Structure formats: C-alpha cells, structure tokens
C-alpha cells in the first residue's frame, strides 16, 4: 500500500497559508494522525514549521529553503515535514512558541521546531537562511546535522533527553497552577534568528503585600501601572526603548483606567504619548486607515506591513475609550477610519470579517503603501491636481522626501508638518490646507487602489477574532454611530450561522475559489479565545442594542467555557477543551500577547454574565481562577494585565447601568458617547414587567436577576438605574444624573 505522506498533501487544505506551500518540492503534511503515525512508523523526527499567510519572513524562508530541491530532499528523506497555520491551530503554536521563548528568549514566525515522533521538541528556532550567514546557521546544514545526530544512538539519546527536559519546562510554564509558577530550566540547542516576525511582550514584575477578596493583592493594579510606567519610552511613545514596537492595547487600557481611578497625570501622559505616536507614525495607514502589525524601529516609522483583524479591532476600541476619556476628536477619527478599513477590506459579503492582509505585494514588502515625491505627483496629477505647491505641501504633510525612510528611497507615510505649520509655510489659511490635504489623500487612495497590486488577503473567518471586532463595533455604536451595531450584528450572526452548532464553536470558516458564497469549509475545534472573545462581543452588543438574543448567546458561550474548559481540580480554565486533541502539554493563556489573554477575557466575561445569571456559578469559577493565578499576577502584573483588570473588577464588584426602555433616547446616546466608563455592564431591559417576564423565559432563568428586578420604567418614560458597590441610584429619567450619582458627583 502506498504511503499517503510520500507527497505534498497541502493541496487538500483550505487554509491560504497551507495552500501557498502546496507546490513546494517538500512533502508537506498537515498536522494530523496520518503524519504523526508516519513519523512513528518510520522512526524519524518531525520538522514542524508554523506560520501564517501575512508573515513576511515566512515567505522569505519559503523562497530560500522550501522551494529548494536540496532542502526538500533532506526534509523528505530524514523527517516528516509538517506545516501548520498558527491561526488555525493556536494551541500548537502556543505550546511550541513557549519552548522557543524558554530556550531562545523570544518568539516569532516562522517557527521552526524539530520534534521526536511523539511530538516532543529537541531543537527550535525561528527564521533560518538556507545557507549560514552573519553568524546565523544555515537551514540545510541544521537539517543535515540533526538527521545525522538522530542516526547516532548516543546523540539520539541526548536529543531525546533534551526533548523530555524541554517538554517538562513547557508543561511547567503552561500547565502551572498554584504557588509554584517558576519554569523548569532548559539548556540551549535551538537558534532564535533575527529577522522573524516576532511576538510582543516585555513584561516586568512587581511585588505587593495584602491580598484582596480575589486572592490577588490590593495593589495589583498599582504594581502593573508602576511596571508600565517603568517600561514606557517617554521620548518616542510606547513601551521599550528599542525596536520593535508593538501596539500594547492592554497597557493603554491599564493606564487610562489608573488615571480615571486616581487622577494621577503620569499614567495618562504615557497613554496619550503612545496613542499619538501610533497614530502619527508608520504603524497607521495615513491613506486608507487601519493599523499595521508592528513597527521595526523605536520611533514608530517603519512597520511590518501586514494588517490583522485582531489588532485593528483592539486599537479601534482603545482609541474610542481615549476619546470618551479626553474628548479629542482625532481619536474618534482614527477609530472611524479603522472601522471603514475593516468594512472595506476585510469584510465577507455575508457579514463576517476575514483575518489578515499580507505584508507583501507587487515586488516586495510594503510596496502597496510607500511613496516617493514622483509617485505623489503622479497620483495628484491623475486626480487633476497638477500644481506643484500642492504636491510639495502633500509631501511635507506626510513626510515624503527624496531620500525616503524605507527601502529604495521610498517613504512610509507619517504625520509630518502640522496643518498650522503648513499654513504659515505656504501662506494659506488653515482651512485651505485642510482642504488640500483631504483632496490629496483622496487622490493617493484612488491611485494606489487603481495602479498597485493589492496585498493578498487571507479569507479565513475566525470565531474569536470576529468576537473582538464585534466588541469594537459595539463600542463604536455607543460612541460614534448607532448603525455600527448593525455591522457588529452581521458579523456575530455570520459566526453563529457558520461556526456554532448550538452546542460548540468551530474555529474557522473559509470559502475556496470554487465554493459558492455561504458554502465554505469549516474546520477545527473552538479554543478558549473563540468562546471568550465571542462571548465578550455578544455581551457588548447586547448592551448597546437591547437584543436579548445576543445576551442569550453570551450566556451559552459562558456555560460552555465552564463545562468544557474549566478544571475545578486545577482551579483554572485551559485554552483547549477537555475533549480536544491530547498534545504534549495542555496550555493555558494567562498572559497577554498579540491578543488579550484568553484566560483573562474569559474570567472577566464570567464575572459580567454572573450579573444576569447569578445562580449558575459563573462568579465562583472566576474567583477560583483568580485565586489560582494570584501569585503569578503578583510576580509579574504587567504580563497579566487582562487578568489583573479582571481581578480588580472582582474586588470592586460590578458597575451596572440598567436601562429600562423600548429604545434609548437620543440624549442617552449622547451621554454614553461622552463618558469614559471602564468596566460598566450595560443592562438594558424592557420597560414593563410583562416584557421582562418574556425575556426571563427566553433566557431560561428561574426568575429575573437583581440587575433587572424592580427596575422598570417609571411614569411610562425611559428610566436609568446606576449601581456601584451594590448600591443603586434612585430611578432617573436623566441618564447623566444617574451617572453623576454613581460617580459621587
């Protein structure tokens, strides 16, 4: 019988990243039982390559190594080569990325891991050039050396011993609960190579005394704030004093909330410096809106150009919070333009959101986004703007120079000269400058859409990432335009239709080239991030729409989190379901990374849905998780910001805003749009007890929860109740007055 793994099987996969490698001479296998069984039967190592379609260095490694016949011969003869899309299998990525960080001190993609036939890692790195250079080992040489070592009994024994040690260290790191949070030590053996698409996170710790009700220190947030301020780059904004720079939205949340709680100016100043640096620099697309993945330099000038759904969802949300806190119109505009980007470039026709736009297009990375003075002039001329002063003004506004700031003398657009400076320089009114810049920006947008090759799009619809987008759009509806709630509902409905079977979530949906719209491929179990992010999105959408179906879905997802992911013996919520694939390690995700900690988001979700279903044990599970991870948060609060914020919510109790009405009055929308209310649980309900009874039946509750009970509309008019510290305002038709009561004003 022929060996099914003796050929490249990626043509059978739907993932765009995997299909990109279907024509490689390497006999790539997906991660499945056939591939793992082949490694055991042949008694050869597995070479595991993890990446994603928008990853620039993944493309580079493919071109240099995986398209090379000599490399393919070694991989095919001496290993079982396995290719994984990290967006489809975040569990595998989490396990082996953790090993890479423990061994090499940082993570990134492409992730290159050599495993025993049992899946235990013995050599790990990120990007390898085909041939060694500048102190970096060559991929072909590494593969040959490892194959030779595997064939030598003594060296193989050493490799297997190392694999056991590394697996134990990863288990210590990812499965650890209780007081012992230290990881087992590991010996080197892998090579982390500069040039990968790196992950973010540079947490630092802090100590605290005095435990609160959650098992966490009363000063957990203040310790996290202190660490965030210590890591802040006060010269260029952001965190860390060298590149790369990442959009650390959790830290910005933390600092804004610290300012709101204390009135202390320094946290606010660091948050504002970071928000301004990201919006002014090359991280932001000054022509089309939306944010790139991260910047390679300390000054926020040159990005890695991929655009991710999760980054743009989280950044839109944090800029909206900043707008509500400070009232700066520019922050609202950044969020608005980011939503426009998502709707224009990452939207499925039926409502879901796609995952990513590639970094590369045309001849190389970033070509779609960069400019020269000549291409600016061409774009303006094509739009009928042919006066030289407007070209010069546009170049000044966006920092376009002859020398450039990127490869080949091109320029990544940034916020250059201010409008006021340009008005003085060109002897124009401020309004005239604004009009010219707007016209020029429109011309640049039209030109690049028409003349340039678009970056490829990965059209996977991922449940969890869509949940982050739904949350952001709910925030947008509350702050910018109520119609954004409809766009969020479209995305939520899409996920429910295609990825929810009334019991469990699937991970991703995608339509192949010959699939009809709506008739795509579904694959993968849902992970904790899918349930937590989507549950959060559904709850937030209920808060701004008053649609009880969204609340019902949030409760269903929370119930599955408890049933399938919570382990009461360990006191934690794992990242994979109990009945999921049995990997060498069952991971947790207590720390923030490129996305918020799924454990932290899930814990906060359980605390908030407990307001509506207090008898289902959600709060007890959340407090159990917080107690389990209290020592880890105490030791390094900045790495656990989402979990620390959940602990603060557990300690303070819910801030509830019950809104009894059929539809919200316009003045209520205006009030919510201008109020920074971190952690508020919006709890709309029908105005009458009869309507509420129907809701209680729909939700399958035995009785109305306290958040709604006795809080009907008074005198036939919309009525608000603000409750904090388990004490409620008098019923009030004026939402502003109810909020002032809650704030003690």
């Amino acid at each position: 019988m022929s060996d099914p793994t003796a050929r490249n099987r990626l043509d059978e996969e739907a993932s765009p990243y995997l299909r990109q490698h279907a024509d490689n001479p390497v006999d790539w296998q997906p991660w499945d039982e056939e591939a793992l069984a082949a490694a055991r039967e042949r008694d050869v190592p597995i070479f595991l390559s993890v990446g994603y379609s928008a990853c620039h260095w993944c493309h580079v490694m493919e071109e240099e190594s995986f398209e090379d016949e000599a490399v393919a011969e070694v991989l095919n003869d001496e290993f079982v080569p396995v290719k994984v899309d990290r967006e489809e299998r975040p569990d595998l990525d989490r396990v082996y990325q953790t090993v890479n960080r423990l061994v090499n001190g940082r993570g990134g993609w492409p992730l290159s891991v050599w495993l025993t036939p049992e899946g235990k890692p013995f050599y790990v790195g990120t990007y390898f050039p085909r041939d060694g250079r500048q102190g970096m080992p060559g991929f072909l040489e590494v593969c040959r050396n490892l194959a030779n070592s595997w064939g030598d009994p003594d060296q193989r024994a050493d490799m297997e011993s190392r694999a056991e040690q590394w697996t134990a260290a990863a288990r210590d790191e990812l499965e650890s609960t209780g007081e012992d949070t230290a990881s087992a030590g590991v010996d080197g053996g892998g090579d982390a190579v500069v040039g990968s698409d790196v992950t973010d996170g540079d947490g630092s710790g802090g100590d605290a005394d005095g435990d609160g009700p959650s098992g966490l220190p009363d000063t957990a947030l203040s310790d996290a704030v202190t660490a965030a301020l210590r890591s802040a780059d006060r010269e260029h904004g952001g965190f860390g004093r060298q590149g790369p720079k990442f959009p650390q939205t959790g830290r910005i949340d933390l600092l804004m909330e610290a300012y709101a709680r204390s009135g202390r100016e320094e946290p606010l100043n660091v948050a504002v410096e970071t928000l301004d640096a990201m919006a002014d620099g090359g991280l932001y697309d000054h022509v089309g809106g939306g944010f790139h993945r991260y910047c390679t330099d300390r000054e926020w000038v040159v990005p890695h150009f991929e655009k991710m759904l999760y980054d743009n969802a989280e950044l839109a949300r944090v800029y909206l919070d900043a707008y509500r806190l400070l009232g700066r119109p520019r922050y609202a505009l950044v969020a608005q333009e980011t939503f426009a980007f998502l709707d224009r470039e990452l939207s499925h026709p039926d409502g879901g959101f796609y995952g990513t736009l590639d970094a590369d297009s045309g001849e190389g990375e970033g070509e779609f986004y960069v400019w020269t003075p000549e291409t600016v002039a061409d774009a303006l001329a094509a739009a009928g703007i042919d006066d030289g002063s407007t070209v010069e003004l546009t170049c000044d506004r966006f920092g376009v120079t002859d020398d450039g700031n990127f490869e080949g003398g091109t320029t990544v657009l940034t916020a250059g000269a201010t409008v006021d400076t340009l008005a003085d320089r060109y002897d124009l009114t401020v309004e005239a400058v604004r009009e010219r810049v707007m016209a020029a920006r429109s011309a640049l947008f039209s030109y690049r859409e028409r003349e340039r090759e678009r970056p490829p799009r990965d059209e996977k619809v991922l449940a969890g990432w869509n949940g982050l987008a739904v949350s952001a759009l709910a925030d947008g509806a509350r702050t910018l335009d109520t119609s954004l709630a409809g766009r969020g509902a479209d995305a939520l409905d899409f996920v429910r239709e295609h990825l929810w079977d009334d019991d469990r979530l699937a991970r991703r949906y995608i339509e192949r080239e010959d699939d009809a719209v709506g008739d795509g491929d579904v694959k993968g179990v849902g992970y904790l991030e899918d349930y937590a992010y989507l549950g959060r999105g559904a709850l937030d959408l209920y808060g701004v729409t008053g649609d009880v179906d969204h609340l019902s879905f949030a409760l269903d997802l929370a119930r599955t989190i408890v049933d399938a992911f919570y382990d009461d013996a360990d006191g934690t919520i794992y990242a994979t379901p109990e009945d999921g694939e049995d990997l060498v390690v069952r991971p947790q995700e207590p720390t923030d990374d490129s996305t918020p900690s799924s454990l932290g988001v899930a814990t906060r979700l359980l605390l908030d849905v407990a307001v509506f279903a207090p008898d289902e044990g959600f709060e007890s599970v959340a407090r159990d998780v917080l107690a389990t991870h209290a020592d880890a948060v105490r030791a390094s609060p900045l790495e656990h910001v989402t979990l620390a914020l959940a602990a603060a919510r557990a300690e303070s109790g819910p801030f509830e805003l019950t809104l009894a009405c059929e539809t919200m009055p316009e003045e209520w929308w205006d009030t919510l749009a201008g109020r920074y209310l971190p952690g508020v649980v919006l709890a709309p309900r029908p105005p009458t007890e009869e309507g509420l009874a129907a809701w209680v039946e729909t939700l399958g509750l035995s009785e109305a929860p306290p958040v709604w009970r006795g809080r009907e509309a008074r005198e036939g008019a919309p009525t608000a109740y603000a409750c904090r510290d388990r004490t409620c305002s008098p019923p009030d038709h004026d939402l502003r007055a109810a909020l002032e009561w809650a704030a003690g004003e």
Side-chain angles (χ1 to χ4, degrees):
M1 191 168 89
S2 64
D3 178 3
T5 66
R7 69 175 187 87
N8 188 320
R9 290 198 291 139
L10 298 188
D11 60 347
E12 302 169 5
E13 297 296 309
S15 157
Y17 174 66
L18 299 186
R19 292 180 70 83
Q20 286 169 8
H21 294 266
D23 294 327
N24 294 166
V26 177
D27 289 339
W28 288 117
Q29 308 298 305
W31 180 280
D32 63 9
E33 184 51 39
E34 287 187 4
L36 303 180
R40 293 191 295 268
E41 183 177 341
R42 290 172 54 196
D43 193 31
V44 296
I46 297 164
F47 169 64
L48 174 64
S49 176
V50 183
Y52 58 102
S53 64
C55 164
H56 170 70
W57 287 98
C58 299
H59 299 318
V60 173
M61 192 164 177
E62 178 189 16
E63 292 169 3
E64 292 179 346
S65 294
F66 302 146
E67 294 178 354
D68 182 84
E69 294 289 346
V71 170
E73 182 179 1
V74 174
L75 285 177
N76 296 341
D77 291 347
E78 306 294 343
F79 303 91
V80 173
V82 174
K83 178 66 74 171
V84 164
D85 182 340
R86 68 111 173 171
E87 294 166 1
E88 289 190 339
R89 291 301 303 265
D91 55 337
L92 289 168
D93 185 60
R94 179 76 173 184
V95 169
Y96 296 115
Q97 199 72 250
T98 297
V99 173
N100 190 33
R101 285 175 170 171
L102 290 171
V103 173
N104 295 315
R106 70 187 307 177
W109 299 278
L111 177 63
S112 303
V113 195
W114 286 262
L115 314 171
T116 68
E118 296 73 36
K120 297 177 181 179
F122 60 82
Y123 198 84
V124 62
T126 52
Y127 161 78
F128 292 84
R130 181 195 184 278
D131 301 304
R133 63 172 184 260
Q134 298 173 337
M136 295 185 289
F139 183 71
L140 182 58
E141 179 186 8
V142 168
C143 289
R144 286 172 173 163
N145 289 343
L146 290 176
N148 291 335
S149 296
W150 187 260
D152 179 280
D154 291 337
Q155 292 187 59
R156 174 169 173 169
D158 290 342
M159 296 161 82
E160 290 175 335
S161 175
R162 183 190 305 151
E164 293 293 337
Q165 181 191 26
W166 287 7
T167 300
R171 187 174 294 116
D172 246 17
E173 180 83 5
L174 293 173
E175 293 187 359
S176 175
T177 59
E179 294 185 2
D180 184 11
T181 58
S183 298
V186 297
D187 293 329
D191 295 272
V193 181
V194 176
S196 67
D197 287 283
V198 296
T199 59
D200 46 315
D202 59 0
S204 52
D207 297 318
D209 297 316
D211 287 354
S214 66
L216 285 166
D218 294 329
T219 54
L221 284 187
S222 64
D223 283 349
V225 170
T226 298
L229 296 177
R230 189 165 58 240
S231 70
D233 183 346
R234 300 306 303 273
E235 184 178 355
H236 297 289
F239 304 93
R241 292 169 183 83
Q242 60 184 9
K245 286 279 187 72
F246 291 88
Q248 304 274 7
T249 54
R251 298 184 188 188
I252 300 170
D253 285 330
L254 171 73
L255 294 172
M256 290 194 297
E257 187 161 338
Y259 167 74
R261 285 169 174 254
S262 68
R264 184 181 168 202
E265 293 288 335
E266 188 181 9
L268 178 64
N269 291 340
V270 170
V272 167
E273 289 162 8
T274 302
L275 290 164
D276 289 347
M278 292 191 297
D280 287 346
L283 189 75
Y284 189 65
D285 180 354
H286 291 267
V287 170
F291 290 87
H292 301 293
R293 176 69 191 91
Y294 65 92
C295 281
T296 62
D297 57 296
R298 180 185 178 188
E299 294 80 14
W300 296 97
V301 175
V302 177
H304 260 313
F305 290 90
E306 62 264 39
K307 287 183 172 181
M308 319 296 287
L309 174 59
Y310 60 77
D311 282 324
N312 283 282
E314 283 290 276
L315 284 162
R317 179 193 57 75
V318 82
Y319 275 92
L320 288 171
D321 268 346
Y323 169 70
R324 287 194 297 267
L325 178 64
L326 299 171
R328 298 185 181 181
R330 187 189 179 206
Y331 293 161
L333 180 62
V334 167
Q336 190 174 43
E337 291 179 347
T338 300
F339 287 139
F341 155 72
L342 291 178
D343 200 47
R344 184 182 65 246
E345 299 189 41
L346 288 182
S347 282
H348 185 283
D350 287 344
F353 287 103
Y354 301 127
T356 66
L357 288 183
D358 208 321
D360 296 2
S361 62
E363 296 299 316
E365 184 181 12
E367 184 162 306
F368 185 73
Y369 301 102
V370 297
W371 299 86
T372 63
E374 292 75 22
T375 55
V376 169
D378 290 344
L380 268 58
I385 306 171
D386 54 7
D387 63 290
S389 66
T390 300
V391 173
E392 292 178 12
L393 183 150
T394 302
C395 289
D396 287 350
R397 178 70 182 101
F398 295 113
V400 182
T401 65
D402 290 329
D403 293 335
N405 57 27
F406 190 56
E407 298 168 359
T410 60
T411 297
V412 179
L413 301 190
T414 59
T418 67
V419 171
D420 288 340
T421 298
L422 292 171
D424 290 341
R425 184 177 299 169
Y426 289 91
D427 194 23
L428 296 168
T429 66
V430 167
E431 188 57 38
V433 171
R434 287 200 179 100
E435 289 176 0
R436 290 198 188 194
V437 170
M438 288 178 61
R441 194 173 171 217
S442 177
L444 297 179
F445 178 84
S446 297
Y447 181 85
R448 80 178 192 185
E449 290 288 308
R450 185 177 63 252
E451 301 294 335
R452 296 181 175 179
E453 182 180 335
R454 292 195 57 78
R457 181 170 65 191
D458 187 322
E459 296 191 347
K460 293 194 301 292
V461 178
L462 298 166
W465 295 10
N466 272 256
L468 295 176
V470 172
S471 279
L473 287 160
D475 250 14
R478 173 178 152 194
T479 312
L480 301 174
D481 181 352
T482 57
S483 69
L484 290 171
R487 184 65 190 87
D490 289 343
L492 188 65
D493 290 346
F494 184 95
V495 173
R496 292 184 69 171
E497 178 181 352
H498 294 287
L499 294 174
W500 173 248
D501 65 2
D502 294 327
D503 178 45
R504 291 291 185 93
L505 277 172
R507 170 66 175 171
R508 73 103 171 104
Y509 171 92
I510 191 170
E511 291 161 5
R512 300 194 196 198
E513 198 170 306
D514 53 353
D515 287 336
V517 174
D519 188 24
D521 182 69
V522 174
K523 184 176 181 179
V525 300
Y527 299 99
L528 179 61
E529 71 171 52
D530 297 304
Y531 289 88
Y533 298 169
L534 200 63
R536 183 79 252 170
L539 184 63
D540 291 343
L541 195 60
Y542 148 74
V544 297
T545 62
D547 187 334
V548 71
D549 285 342
H550 300 326
L551 175 59
S552 178
F553 187 40
L555 286 166
D556 285 342
L557 294 171
R559 291 173 183 127
T560 305
I561 288 172
V562 173
D563 293 342
F565 294 86
Y566 172 60
D567 187 313
D568 60 348
D570 292 339
T572 195
I573 301 172
Y574 285 98
T576 57
E578 185 178 18
D579 56 359
E581 183 178 350
D582 187 17
L583 303 178
V584 293
V585 176
R586 188 182 182 194
Q588 303 171 86
E589 293 180 349
T591 58
D592 297 303
D593 209 314
S594 53
T595 51
S597 156
S598 62
L599 181 60
V601 175
T603 302
R604 177 58 182 273
L605 174 66
L606 295 180
L607 289 168
D608 287 350
V609 296
V611 167
F612 303 97
D615 299 328
E616 296 196 30
F618 294 133
E619 183 173 352
S620 175
V621 170
R623 290 186 178 278
D624 192 18
V625 170
L626 292 170
T628 295
H629 293 278
D631 289 333
V633 177
R634 177 187 291 111
S636 53
L638 195 55
E639 292 183 356
H640 299 82
V641 166
T642 303
L643 205 52
L645 288 169
R649 155 69 173 83
E651 291 176 11
S652 65
F655 173 21
E656 304 162 0
L657 192 57
T658 304
L659 308 172
C661 55
E662 286 290 353
T663 58
M664 278 218 293
E666 193 65 36
E667 57 268 27
W668 284 17
W669 283 112
D670 292 341
T671 298
L672 289 175
R675 285 290 182 124
Y676 177 68
L677 302 170
V680 69
V681 178
L682 295 178
R685 53 151 285 175
T688 65
E689 291 305 307
E690 293 79 10
L692 181 60
W695 272 29
V696 169
E697 183 177 353
T698 295
L699 296 172
L701 303 177
S702 59
E703 60 179 349
V707 71
W708 290 334
R709 191 183 310 147
R711 300 181 189 176
E712 70 277 3
R714 301 295 177 92
E715 301 168 356
T719 305
Y721 302 77
C723 301
R724 191 188 285 275
D725 298 328
R726 299 169 181 82
T727 305
C728 296
S729 70
D732 208 313
H733 302 310
D734 183 350
L735 177 58
R736 188 180 302 275
L739 290 172
E740 288 171 354
W741 178 93
E745 297 175 8

